[in-house]
Amino acid sequence: MDIVEFSIERIQSLYENTVDYNLSDSGVHPYTLRELLDAEQINQLLDVELGYGWTNGGVELRQSISKLYKDKNADNVIVTNGSAEANFVLVMGMLNPGDELVVIVPNYLQIWGWAKALNVKVVEVPLREELGWLPDMDELKDAITPNTKMISYCSPNNPTGSVLPQETLEQIVDLARAQGIYVHADEVYKGSELDGNEGPSIADLYEKGIATNGLSKAMALPGLRVGWLAGPKDVIDRAWHCKDYTSITTSSVSEFAANIVVQPQKRSEILERSRTILNQNVATLDEWIKQNSENYSCQLPQAGGMAFVRYSMNINSTDLVHRMRTERSIMLLPGDCYGMDGYIRIGVGAPSDHLKAGLAQLHEFTRGLND
């Protein structure tokens, strides 16, 4: 099997822990267990048996997650080891060689890469910067053929931070429903909308809608490694069939904590913290962009822990990021990872002092590059 390198993850795994200023992350600065749980919950955690659980996720946790959606129950949810495994078992369960998958890009590209490895034909439809990083619906319509099995998008979007409005989502659903096509949405940044207006899930808008979500990004808990799929029972059953071949179960410790944080009050508390951090940091980035407008420009994110910044220097984005890393100990993500040279992704979910210090180093680097 020929698997394309997952460059987003590879470059981060190689370098993000080797620099002084890691601005490559796309999530919100994580909690510690002490910050997340109260004393009673921590004491309960110590009594959790470290055995195997349900291979599709504990019943109580699946029931709790299902309440995040309309008209769903535990059978409409499978719990996975991070949202990455959710995407993996979705592709394995739903797509076959010869199927066509329409992917709205830029995107996290995990599904894009794994589908290609399975000899699925991947058709790309771009988000248009001139449209506010939204798709041209005529282009999406033209990409659909009789062989199209699924449409996949990421909203709030990685890397642009754009959010597909409900009107656009409904147009996507109309196109899919007319052809009997599944629609998949990566929704791991859902709830981090800077204006506090959390958008609808595709799992609620469409009977053949499938949502990937988890605790890693908007919820600021990547270390728990808890993700899930929510959607039609037949899709969830196929994913479960595949999960029996992968990680078997999720961690009993992580499931205990996850069931606490997906409860409405705690989830609301966590998302409020995320939005506070992001709003403060996006304002910081906005001011920095204005001060460095001769070299950088950006349509500021509406959600999520990152901004997709265009630069004007005559240098390849991967080369630029490696120079920043070696010369100033700053880690960013190059647009090359998304097939979009001329951009860099800057994380805005870090503590504010860390972001400010990293941006100061980036300013000094740029000034030296232009001297």
Side-chain angles (χ1 to χ4, degrees):
M1 180 181 291
D2 185 17
I3 304 176
V4 117
E5 182 181 273
F6 196 2
S7 57
I8 292 172
E9 292 298 341
R10 180 53 57 89
I11 192 171
Q12 286 187 277
S13 65
L14 284 172
Y15 302 116
E16 66 179 346
N17 295 311
T18 69
V19 294
D20 295 330
Y21 306 100
N22 177 25
L23 301 183
S24 70
D25 284 343
S26 64
V28 180
H29 189 67
Y31 283 83
T32 66
L33 278 176
R34 193 180 303 279
E35 293 169 325
L36 184 68
L37 305 179
D38 61 31
E40 181 181 355
Q41 290 165 341
I42 289 174
N43 192 52
Q44 291 170 345
L45 179 63
L46 296 177
D47 290 326
V48 171
E49 287 190 355
L50 302 180
Y52 289 105
W54 293 75
T55 60
N56 59 340
V59 176
E60 185 179 1
L61 177 56
R62 286 188 287 117
Q63 288 173 336
S64 296
I65 291 170
S66 73
K67 293 176 183 177
L68 301 176
Y69 304 89
K70 298 176 183 177
D71 303 319
K72 299 291 188 292
N73 59 45
D75 290 337
N76 296 113
V77 174
I78 182 170
V79 178
T80 58
N81 283 278
S83 53
E85 187 182 36
N87 288 338
F88 184 88
V89 295
L90 171 68
V91 171
M92 293 297 295
M94 295 298 296
L95 299 176
N96 297 300
D99 287 341
E100 292 185 9
L101 169 70
V102 174
V103 179
I104 298 177
V105 295
N107 197 304
Y108 179 52
L109 296 181
Q110 180 199 6
I111 283 178
W112 174 92
W114 191 240
K116 285 192 169 187
L118 296 178
N119 291 317
V120 171
K121 182 180 179 181
V122 177
V123 180
E124 298 178 8
V125 173
L127 297 174
R128 295 292 181 186
E129 188 173 14
E130 64 272 18
L131 298 178
W133 293 118
L134 298 178
D136 181 312
M137 296 308 295
D138 287 333
E139 291 182 328
L140 179 58
K141 182 178 180 180
D142 290 343
I144 296 172
T145 77
N147 292 324
T148 303
K149 183 74 170 291
M150 185 185 297
I151 299 169
S152 182
Y153 66 85
C154 176
S155 180
N157 181 252
N158 177 356
T160 68
S162 65
V163 177
L164 295 183
Q166 183 158 345
E167 179 184 0
T168 300
L169 296 177
E170 289 173 351
Q171 290 176 320
I172 293 172
V173 167
D174 287 343
L175 288 174
R177 184 178 282 127
Q179 304 295 328
I181 298 167
Y182 289 95
V183 178
H184 165 259
D186 182 336
E187 298 178 350
V188 294
Y189 299 97
K190 188 173 180 292
S192 67
E193 291 87 347
L194 301 184
D195 63 5
N197 294 316
E198 185 173 348
S201 171
I202 191 63
D204 292 333
L205 292 177
Y206 182 35
E207 62 275 9
K208 299 185 80 169
I210 310 157
T212 294
N213 210 326
L215 303 181
S216 60
K217 302 300 184 183
M219 294 290 285
L221 296 166
L224 288 183
R225 306 311 304 140
V226 170
W228 62 82
L229 287 176
K233 184 178 183 301
D234 65 315
V235 173
I236 300 305
D237 286 345
R238 290 188 190 184
W240 187 7
H241 182 78
C242 295
K243 189 173 182 293
D244 288 338
Y245 282 93
T246 57
S247 61
I248 312 299
T249 68
T250 44
S251 159
S252 54
V253 170
S254 293
E255 286 203 5
F256 173 86
N259 197 47
I260 291 171
V261 303
V262 298
Q263 302 305 319
Q265 183 174 343
K266 189 64 175 181
R267 180 175 184 270
S268 178
E269 172 191 315
I270 291 171
L271 292 178
E272 179 62 30
R273 169 190 181 267
S274 293
R275 289 190 295 268
T276 299
I277 292 171
L278 294 175
N279 273 295
Q280 179 180 0
N281 285 349
V282 168
T284 296
L285 178 66
D286 185 27
E287 184 62 29
W288 186 88
I289 292 286
K290 290 173 181 175
Q291 293 171 357
N292 293 271
S293 59
E294 68 277 13
N295 294 302
Y296 300 99
S297 62
C298 178
Q299 292 194 34
L300 293 175
Q302 298 170 286
M306 77 236 100
F308 206 43
V309 177
R310 182 191 287 270
Y311 64 87
S312 61
M313 295 86 78
N314 185 26
I315 182 173
N316 168 263
S317 60
T318 298
D319 294 339
L320 178 63
V321 162
H322 283 309
R323 283 195 58 179
M324 292 174 177
R325 177 180 59 82
T326 57
E327 295 177 24
R328 288 283 173 172
S329 199
I330 315 164
M331 182 64 196
L332 305 175
L333 205 62
D336 276 348
C337 290
Y338 299 94
M340 298 183 68
D341 194 22
Y343 296 86
I344 51 176
R345 194 188 80 180
I346 299 179
V348 292
S352 59
D353 56 346
H354 186 84
L355 176 65
K356 290 176 181 177
L359 290 176
Q361 290 296 318
L362 184 54
H363 172 79
E364 293 301 317
F365 168 85
T366 308
R367 189 170 67 175
L369 189 67
N370 290 329
D371 287 344

